[in-house]
Amino acid sequence: MLYAVIMRFDSLREIMPSIQAEARKLCHFSNILFKGVERHPKTGKKKEVYF
């Protein structure tokens, strides 16, 4: 409700599309920001360690 007050919305019909649009923006932003986080970097062959 604080979001509605700050944005000066009067009805639920104004609030819902705006919140949905903001959610899409945040999802898109997080995909750009954390693009490589979910994927592990490719590693070469594991080297044998001799003691």
Side-chain angles (χ1 to χ4, degrees):
M1 296 312 299
L2 181 61
Y3 177 76
V5 171
I6 292 171
M7 298 301 289
R8 297 184 183 192
F9 291 139
D10 296 324
S11 69
L12 189 58
R13 288 183 182 181
E14 293 176 334
I15 296 169
M16 289 307 297
S18 178
I19 289 178
Q20 290 169 345
E22 294 298 327
R24 276 187 248 119
K25 288 179 191 175
L26 288 174
C27 183
H28 180 70
F29 178 71
S30 67
N31 287 341
I32 291 172
L33 187 62
F34 301 112
K35 184 177 181 180
V37 171
E38 293 179 7
R39 292 186 234 138
H40 298 287
K42 292 183 179 179
T43 57
K45 295 180 181 178
K46 293 185 179 180
K47 297 181 181 177
E48 294 181 21
V49 178
Y50 298 104
F51 290 103

